[in-house]
Structures are given as structure tokens and as C-alpha cells.
Amino acid sequence: MHKSLTSFRSKTAAAVLTAAFAAIIPSAFAQDKPAEKKYQNAAEYEAFNAVIKDVTAKDFNKAIQDLQTWKDKYPTTDYSEDRDVLIIQSYSGAKQLGKAIDYFGQLDKNGIDAAFKDPGNAIKALFAVVVAVSTYPEASPDQLAIGQKAAQELMDYNHKPAGVDDAAWANARTTQLQPPAKAALLYIAMLPGNQAYTKKDYAAAEAAYTQALQKYPDNAAIAYQLGMSLRYEGKRNAAAYEFLRASQLDPTLGGTSKADDVNKYADTYYKNLHGSDEGLADLKTAVKNSPTPPADFKIKTATEVAEEKQAEFEKSNPQLALWMKIKGALADTNGDQYFAGQLKDSAVPQLRGVLVDAKPACRPKELVVAVPLPGGNPTPEITLTVQPPLAGKPELNTEFHWEGIPTAFTKDPSFMLNMSVEREKIEGLKTNPCTAAPAGPARKKKG
């Protein structure tokens, strides 16, 4: 899942390039020159022809040199627009994308219509810049602004080139011009966040992606990348929100990821945070309402859920909770030290248990007690030495309360805590009168 950023970049750029090469407008050097255009002389034609040979051979660095020679010798020409397009295309072909964008920016200061009178040249120049900015992750803020303007101009451009009928032009606008323009605008919106994310400046990435969401509130790729930035910042609640929102909007993240992978990642992240899938279904519905979580949004962590359950348990079962803490400490590796240093000869608050044995059965001095968990089996864990002994016969398997003082403890071979208990501090233990032993047969007196 961490490959999504690179995947989104490459596939967005690929979409733009595919549309660019499928455009209905042919390349500048292949287009027939209108009759009103004329070369100033044969030397200018040769200069132009040299550039065409370079571009045809894809020797774009040589084309840039020859274009500069042509421009130096013939700064004013009927083919200035064609030359400008070739300069932009050659910079792009030579991977000098920043120069392609900057050159177009100088031309486009007063808008595309002022820069190019020929619709064909305008479209080719706009395409070249849209492609350049969509494949240039190092673009500066100024270059992004130029690219954004070009993409918007391509979106809105509606000057039909010569020789193209109305139906073909309408189809070309919606299927070939606008899709790459939209992709470029999205790429530009995400790029500041992508750049910061690549540098591991996650705070800056968070700010940039959040700003991008203001323009594209329903874009799953931005939401997902925002989630990744928040995750690395340790903002786990907000990260879970964005991951789930991305999965609900478009789990393919614009066709760059597998839907099952994104859905699984979002669900797993939530469950690892919360400790279960409790509340997950409701949150999946709620995330659709806003691109960012509400100010008071909070997912309880697994630790917080456990602490709440423990607090609730302690409130409803204070005596059992107390014994569980004592037993846990005694059963620990340092249990003997805990007993000797903290528990022995110290008064323990009231505990509750079930009587499993009494020794002797009548007027016992010892009570063997179990403290079972709800639904658990009673296992002897505590021996109470009662002072003075009980007055009757206690009923086994009955629950009662007591307060006592620990006097001894053994962990092996079986767990047992011994406590000294005063008889009056035992409550709720049911007892019956001790039955007298039956008398034997009477003996006859000797006469």
C-alpha cells in the first residue's frame, strides 16, 4: 500500500501522455503551412528543415540548438507560433521540463489567445505543457501555477482548428482535451503534498493534502495520502478517518490500487487502533459526510476501551477486581517479593468468595475459599484461619465476604494465600447448628 504515491504519479502522467499523442491535432512540423505564410528566404527554410530533421530523429537537444540558431537569425517570422510550439516540444522531448514550462509561461502571460492565433498551435502548446507539468515532480510553485493555468485553458479551449467539423471537435474536447487537463489539475493540486511526503515532512504534507481536498473533496487518492501523512505524524484517529473515507469513495484510488487491498488496509488500521470492528460500519457511513473529521472526532484506542471496561468491571465487581489484582501480582515472576514487601501482615479490604471446604466441618478453624470468575469453576485459592472458630457448621458452595490479613503464600506446587480472619469480620456465610453425636445403647447396672 505504500507504493500508491508513486503509482498515482506514473499512471496520471501516463493518462496525460496517452491523450496527448491521441490528439486530433498533428505535430507542428507535419502540418501543412497555410498559404499566407512565407519563409523570408531559402536559408530560413533550411533552418526550419534542420529542426524538423532533429525532431524526427528524436534528437531533441540538437533541435533546441537549431531552434535557437533559427530564432537568432530570424527573430521575426511568419512561423513564430510554429517555432514556439517546437521549442516547447523539444524541451519536453529533451526532458528539460522546467524550461518547457517556463518558456510557455512567458508566452501565456496575456492568455492563450494572445499567444497563439492558430488554434492548432494553441492546442499543441497547451498539450505539451500539460504533459510536462504532469511528469515533473520537481516543479516549482511558479511552474505549477503556469501548468495549472495551461490545464485550465485546455479545459476551456473552444476554438475549432481548421478542417475539423463540429461533431469531431465536440468529441475531441470531451474525450481528448479535457480528460488530460483534469488529470493535470489534480496532479498539480497533489504535488505540493507529494513533494513534502517524499521528503518525510509529514506536517507540510498534511497541510498540502488538506488544501488539495478543498478543491477535490471527493478524491480518494488525496484522502488516502492525507491519511498516510497523518499516520506518520502519529495522528491515528484522523488517519483512520481518511483511510476509511478513501475506501468508501473509491478503493482503487483512481485506478492506481487494488480495491481489496485498500479496503483491507483501512479496516485493519481501524481494528488495530480500536481493538475490534465495533463501530466500524457506522463510521464507514459517517466518513462520507465530510472530507475531514469533525473537531471532536475520536476513536477510542484498544487501551482506552480496555481501561473503560476494567473501570466498569471494578465499579460493578469491586471485590472480585481487587482479588484479581492481588492474584495477578502474586502469580507474577516477582510474586514472592510482592507478598513479602507489600501484602504480608497488611489489612486487605473486604473480599468475596465461595466456601469449598471447612476444617473441621463443624465449628471450623479453617475455611478454604475459591474466588471464581463469572462462569468459571471454583478453584481453592485462599485459606482463612478463623479466630475464634465458627460457632456452627457452614454451608459449602455458599458465597460470603470477609476482611483479613495475609500471613503466608505459596505459588508452587499449587497457588494458595493464607489469611488470618477475625470471626466477626465474616459476613453472609450461612451456618447451621452443629448436630450432637447420637447416644450409644444404655448399659445395665450391675446388681
Side-chain angles (χ1 to χ4, degrees):
M1 291 308 302
H2 302 285
K3 297 180 180 179
S4 62
L5 178 58
T6 302
S7 178
F8 181 79
R9 285 176 176 168
S10 60
K11 292 192 178 182
T12 300
V16 175
L17 285 167
T18 300
F21 289 116
I24 61 169
I25 307 303
S27 62
F29 56 85
Q31 185 175 337
D32 292 334
K33 303 300 179 288
E36 65 272 14
K37 291 184 180 181
K38 294 182 180 180
Y39 298 108
Q40 296 182 32
N41 50 43
E44 184 186 4
Y45 175 78
E46 290 301 326
F48 170 82
N49 196 46
V51 172
I52 298 308
K53 290 180 180 179
D54 297 334
V55 174
T56 302
K58 297 185 179 180
D59 189 350
F60 296 108
N61 289 314
K62 181 66 164 52
I64 293 169
Q65 295 175 6
D66 288 340
L67 282 162
Q68 188 60 51
T69 299
W70 178 16
K71 192 170 185 179
D72 289 342
K73 291 182 178 179
Y74 301 94
T76 302
T77 175
D78 288 349
Y79 301 98
S80 59
E81 286 191 14
D82 303 83
R83 185 168 63 197
D84 287 336
V85 171
L86 284 165
I87 291 172
I88 295 168
Q89 291 176 332
S90 296
Y91 276 137
S92 295
K95 305 302 181 185
Q96 299 181 40
L97 303 179
K99 290 185 177 181
I101 297 168
D102 292 339
Y103 189 87
F104 176 84
Q106 292 297 317
L107 298 174
D108 196 37
K109 283 185 175 180
N110 296 318
I112 194 65
D113 291 337
F116 296 96
K117 305 300 182 185
D118 181 350
N121 281 329
I123 293 171
K124 285 176 286 188
L126 289 170
F127 252 124
V129 174
V130 165
V131 171
V133 77
S134 299
T135 53
Y136 188 40
E138 293 80 24
S140 68
D142 288 343
Q143 289 166 337
L144 289 180
I146 294 170
Q148 182 171 353
K149 182 181 178 183
Q152 192 61 56
E153 287 173 331
L154 186 60
M155 276 281 296
D156 300 336
Y157 197 79
N158 199 19
H159 299 309
K160 185 178 64 172
V164 180
D165 63 41
D166 291 344
W169 173 239
N171 181 66
R173 287 195 70 213
T174 57
T175 63
Q176 294 176 310
L177 303 186
Q178 293 177 351
K182 291 178 181 177
L185 289 170
L186 174 59
Y187 179 83
I188 291 167
M190 289 188 69
L191 187 57
N194 293 348
Q195 291 172 328
Y197 186 89
T198 300
K199 296 175 182 177
K200 298 184 179 181
D201 186 351
Y202 300 117
E206 177 196 349
Y209 287 132
T210 301
Q211 185 175 1
L213 276 182
Q214 295 175 2
K215 294 182 179 180
Y216 299 94
D218 294 329
N219 186 272
I222 299 175
Y224 185 85
Q225 285 304 133
L226 175 57
M228 292 299 294
S229 302
L230 292 165
R231 173 196 168 193
Y232 284 117
E233 287 187 277
K235 299 179 180 180
R236 301 178 68 194
N237 286 276
Y241 184 98
E242 296 300 337
F243 289 142
L244 287 170
R245 180 170 169 80
S247 73
Q248 297 308 296
L249 291 174
D250 175 14
T252 71
L253 306 183
T256 64
S257 300
K258 293 181 179 179
D260 288 345
D261 289 345
V262 172
N263 286 329
K264 182 179 179 180
Y265 185 84
D267 290 357
T268 301
Y269 191 88
Y270 175 89
K271 287 185 280 190
N272 287 342
L273 173 61
H274 186 61
S276 71
D277 62 358
E278 179 186 16
L280 178 57
D282 291 339
L283 183 55
K284 285 183 176 181
T285 300
V287 295
K288 299 175 184 177
N289 298 327
S290 173
T292 53
D296 59 349
F297 178 73
K298 178 84 168 68
I299 298 173
K300 293 178 181 177
T301 66
T303 300
E304 291 170 335
V305 171
E307 289 175 347
E308 285 188 358
K309 289 182 178 180
Q310 179 64 24
E312 182 180 348
F313 177 78
E314 290 179 3
K315 183 177 180 180
S316 58
N317 300 276
Q319 295 153 325
L320 177 57
L322 174 60
W323 169 244
M324 289 177 65
K325 288 182 178 179
I326 293 173
K327 182 179 177 182
L330 290 172
D332 192 42
T333 304
N334 299 320
D336 291 328
Q337 292 90 327
Y338 165 74
F339 175 79
Q342 299 184 47
L343 195 61
K344 185 179 181 181
D345 299 330
S346 299
V348 174
Q350 190 178 75
L351 295 174
R352 181 183 65 190
V354 174
L355 181 66
V356 295
D357 195 11
K359 300 176 182 179
C362 191
R363 299 183 184 88
K365 298 179 179 179
E366 288 187 356
L367 303 177
V368 181
V369 183
V371 186
L373 295 173
N377 295 321
T379 301
E381 297 175 311
I382 304 172
T383 297
L384 304 180
T385 300
V386 184
Q387 299 175 343
L390 294 182
K393 181 180 181 180
E395 293 185 12
L396 300 182
N397 301 316
T398 59
E399 186 177 87
F400 69 102
H401 307 263
W402 75 91
E403 293 180 30
I405 297 175
T407 56
F409 166 65
T410 57
K411 186 185 299 184
D412 297 313
S414 60
F415 183 99
M416 183 61 66
L417 176 67
N418 295 82
M419 300 183 72
S420 173
V421 181
E422 296 177 9
R423 186 171 67 182
E424 60 267 23
K425 291 189 176 181
I426 296 175
E427 300 178 5
L429 182 60
K430 295 179 181 179
T431 59
N432 297 309
C434 291
T435 303
R443 293 182 180 181
K444 294 180 179 181
K445 293 182 178 180
K446 294 180 179 181

